């Protein structure tokens, strides 16, 4: 994920100063030197880093910080506030008209995910803001872009307007606006043409489109993987078109993230959205304060709760809680929970949103977890309805039949039964209101979900190897 390396480096820098009883200019300079190197290695613009360090030092060396009981925490807060200033002091959003049709021009170079970003924003505005959206295919140079937009539009149930490649982009835009008025749309998103690099022909076409459409927003898609080029591209587009916002794509890659930290302060163009995946739902509104917290390993509980409310079935959660409390938790409930976990996506990403869970997140193997979830789901689906509802009935003959049906060993079924027993132990603890120490110890030994640690099973493997050698 973007910023992962930066987060690790900054955490080490703060650890050194947090252990100091008193803040001095010497240990402050040592910490700032580490922060400076961390930012430069993350590909943050040199001038931005220089100003950032100067601002932090000026505020950190103030009398209030020096005399405070916990100067280390005060310094971390100052760095966090400065990071947020770099990213933006407030959330930026699409400039919706109070009445009439809001128009958004999507611009950017080829390969930055502009067409996919157009569809993602359309889905976001339709589902979260209740807008009647029309997507317009104005990239008439590339037939593939038109087909891609149509496919994406169909997948999110948003209409796509296109006159094909024989009609120019301006005429398509004009006809699309008439179409939008007739269909009472309130948001029109124009997916414009891109190029492999910025040239006069591209800018002339986009300027003509801007003059004709008069967009309420011009959003530039930039690739997080390009580092400092984000700043260069944003500056060029801004000089020519006066863009109003950025959509940063490929945030789920191994981007160092420095371009994102630099772009706001250099171009004064805010980030509106970040995309962290290829699916149409992989789009988040950008919150500078939350991103600053994530970079410093402070988590982002608000975003996690929002995602849970959006993706999880609350009726299933209520029923599961009810069954847990009544002691009737069974394999059907466990299967439902597997489905809910899958909806939330990466477990590693979720854990990083919880304060203090960064280290645990690093030990989570998402690929192994998904593999084990599929295996467990196959086991449960190989059971009869009666067996799912009555875990206690699973004796040797039934286990053998289920194992053959799921293509696993009986040992895997025993592990799953153990999970059910653990959940039932939890329900007893909750009902009695008194912690059951034996149940807690059993849960520790059972290990819960397999795949939660990349190193799970490694100790056992080492022990067995030693025995064999002996």
């Amino acid at each position: 994920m973007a910023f992962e390396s930066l987060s690790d480096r900054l955490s080490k820098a703060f650890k050194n100063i947090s252990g100091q009883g008193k803040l001095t200019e010497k240990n402050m300079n040592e910490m700032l030197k580490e922060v400076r190197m961390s930012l430069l290695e993350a590909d943050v613009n040199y001038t931005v880093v220089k100003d950032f360090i100067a601002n932090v030092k000026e505020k950190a060396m103030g009398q209030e910080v020096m005399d405070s009981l916990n100067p280390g925490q005060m310094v971390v807060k100052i760095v966090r506030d400065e990071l947020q200033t770099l990213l933006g002091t407030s959330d930026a959003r699409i400039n919706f008209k109070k009445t009439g049709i809001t128009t958004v021009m999507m611009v950017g170079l080829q390969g930055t995910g502009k067409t996919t970003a157009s569809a993602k924003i359309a889905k976001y505005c339709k589902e979260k803001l209740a807008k009647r959206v029309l997507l317009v295919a104005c990239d008439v140079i590339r037939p593939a872009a038109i087909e891609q937009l149509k496919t994406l539009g169909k997948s999110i149930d948003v209409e796509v307007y296109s006159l094909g490649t024989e009609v120019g982009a301006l005429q398509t835009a004009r006809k699309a606006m008439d179409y939008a008025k007739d269909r009472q749309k309130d948001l029109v998103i124009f997916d414009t043409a891109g190029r492999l690099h910025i040239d006069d022909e591209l800018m002339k076409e986009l300027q003509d489109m801007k003059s004709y459409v008069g967009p309420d927003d011009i959003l530039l898609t930039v690739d997080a993987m390009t580092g400092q080029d984000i700043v260069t591209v944003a500056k060029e587009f801004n000089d020519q078109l006066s863009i109003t916002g950025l959509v940063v794509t490929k945030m789920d890659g191994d981007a160092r993230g420095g371009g994102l930290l630099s772009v706001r302060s250099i171009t004064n163009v805010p980030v509106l959205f970040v995309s962290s995946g290829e699916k149409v739902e992989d789009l988040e509104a950008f919150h500078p304060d939350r991103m600053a917290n994530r970079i410093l390993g402070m988590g982002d509980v608000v975003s996690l709760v929002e995602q849970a409310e959006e993706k999880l079935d609350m009726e299933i959660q209520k029923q599961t809680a009810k069954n847990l409390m009544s002691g009737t938790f069974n394999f059907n409930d466990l299967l439902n929970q597997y489905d809910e976990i899958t909806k939330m996506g990466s477990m590693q990403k979720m854990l990083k949103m919880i304060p203090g869970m960064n280290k645990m997140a690093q030990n989570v193997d998402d690929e192994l977890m998904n593999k084990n979830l599929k295996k467990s789901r196959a086991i449960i689906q190989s059971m009869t309805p009666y067996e799912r509802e009555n875990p206690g009935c699973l004796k040797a003959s039934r286990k053998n039949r289920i194992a053959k049906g799921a293509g696993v060993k009986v040992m895997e079924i025993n592990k799953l039964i153990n999970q059910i027993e653990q959940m039932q132990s939890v329900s007893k603890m909750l009902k009695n209101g008194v912690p059951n120490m034996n149940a807690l110890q059993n849960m520790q030994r059972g290990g819960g979900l397999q795949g939660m640690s990349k190193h799970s099973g490694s100790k056992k493997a080492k022990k067995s190897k030693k025995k064999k050698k002996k």
Side-chain angles (χ1 to χ4, degrees), residues 108-274:
L109 298 178
Q110 280 181 23
T112 57
K114 175 172 53 62
T115 300
T116 308
S118 300
K120 287 179 177 181
I121 293 170
K123 176 181 168 67
Y124 179 93
C125 293
K126 176 196 167 192
E127 295 183 356
K128 295 193 176 181
L129 306 177
K131 300 294 180 183
R132 296 186 297 275
V133 189
L134 178 69
L135 282 163
V136 184
C138 287
D139 188 353
V140 297
I141 297 167
R142 291 192 308 129
I146 296 174
E147 290 307 312
Q148 183 188 2
L149 194 65
K150 284 180 178 178
T151 303
L152 289 167
K154 191 176 180 181
S155 72
I156 59 174
D157 195 24
V158 169
E159 202 171 355
V160 176
Y161 186 87
S162 170
L163 294 176
T165 56
E166 302 302 316
V167 180
L170 282 178
Q171 192 177 346
T172 300
R174 180 170 64 81
K175 295 275 189 184
M177 287 304 293
D178 293 337
Y179 186 88
K181 286 172 189 171
D182 291 342
R183 301 300 189 283
Q184 296 184 316
K185 302 291 184 183
D186 46 25
L187 173 62
V188 178
I189 300 172
F190 297 91
D191 178 31
T192 65
R195 297 284 191 283
L196 292 173
H197 58 274
I198 297 168
D199 58 25
D200 294 338
E201 187 184 357
L202 169 65
M203 285 305 171
K204 177 70 170 65
E205 185 177 316
L206 293 176
Q207 284 165 353
D208 290 345
M209 176 76 74
K210 178 187 174 183
S211 299
Y212 179 77
V213 172
D216 299 288
D217 271 303
I218 302 177
L219 303 184
L220 172 68
T221 55
V222 286
D223 183 344
M225 305 288 284
T226 58
Q228 278 302 300
D229 279 351
I230 287 181
V231 180
T232 308
V233 171
K235 203 169 184 305
E236 286 274 353
F237 272 91
N238 196 35
D239 290 344
Q240 301 276 353
L241 296 169
S242 300
I243 58 175
T244 58
L246 299 177
V247 181
V248 184
T249 62
K250 303 179 188 176
M251 282 289 286
D252 55 324
D254 57 356
R256 288 178 287 177
L260 180 55
L261 283 171
S262 309
V263 71
R264 176 65 192 253
S265 57
I266 292 176
T267 65
N268 203 31
V269 177
V271 178
L272 266 69
F273 298 99
V274 290

Side-chain angles (χ1 to χ4, degrees), residues 18 20-23 64-74:
S18 297
Q20 306 289 334
K22 190 171 175 62
L23 198 63
E64 185 185 341
V65 179
M66 297 287 282
D67 295 342
S68 68
L69 292 173
N70 199 327
Q73 285 184 2
M74 294 284 278

Side-chain angles (χ1 to χ4, degrees), residues 275-396:
S275 172
S276 55
E278 294 179 4
K279 295 178 183 176
V280 280
E281 60 267 21
D282 295 332
L283 184 82
E284 294 177 46
F286 184 74
H287 303 279
D289 55 339
R290 299 186 196 178
M291 185 57 76
N293 284 343
R294 286 193 206 181
I295 292 170
L296 294 180
M298 295 176 178
D300 183 1
V301 176
V302 178
S303 292
L304 183 59
V305 170
E306 285 176 356
Q307 285 179 30
E309 288 176 346
E310 180 187 330
K311 294 177 181 179
L312 298 184
D313 188 324
M314 290 303 147
E315 287 304 313
I316 287 177
Q317 297 307 310
K318 284 178 188 175
Q319 187 59 48
T320 300
K322 186 179 175 183
N323 292 350
L324 191 60
M325 291 300 289
S326 64
T328 58
F329 188 91
N330 58 37
F331 283 116
N332 285 325
D333 297 309
L334 193 58
L335 188 62
N336 285 335
Q337 288 312 300
Y338 288 158
D339 292 338
E340 297 293 282
I341 288 168
T342 305
K343 283 182 194 173
M344 285 297 290
S346 166
M347 180 65 74
Q348 190 179 70
K349 191 177 174 183
M350 277 194 288
L351 285 172
K352 283 182 179 177
M353 289 183 172
I354 303 170
M357 299 294 276
N358 248 20
K359 282 188 177 179
M360 183 181 280
Q362 288 168 10
N363 290 329
V364 171
D365 188 333
D366 278 325
E367 196 175 326
L368 181 60
M369 262 199 71
N370 290 334
K371 186 180 174 183
N372 284 321
L373 282 175
K374 283 179 183 176
K375 190 192 291 179
S376 298
R377 192 182 277 113
I379 292 169
I380 296 172
Q381 287 168 342
S382 296
M383 296 177 188
T384 65
Y386 178 80
E387 287 165 346
R388 290 189 202 182
E389 290 174 13
N390 301 276
C393 77
L394 294 180
K395 306 303 177 190

Side-chain angles (χ1 to χ4, degrees), residues 65 81 94 98 196 259 278 342 349 391 404 430 436 466:
V65 179
D81 291 345
I94 292 173
K98 289 184 179 177
L196 292 173
E278 294 179 4
T342 305
K349 191 177 174 183
K404 284 178 184 176
L430 293 171
N436 184 326
K466 283 180 182 177

Side-chain angles (χ1 to χ4, degrees), residues 453-466:
S453 172
K454 290 178 182 177
H455 313 293
S456 58
S458 59
K459 287 181 182 177
K460 287 181 182 178
K462 284 175 185 175
K463 281 181 183 177
S464 63
K465 281 180 183 177
K466 283 180 182 177

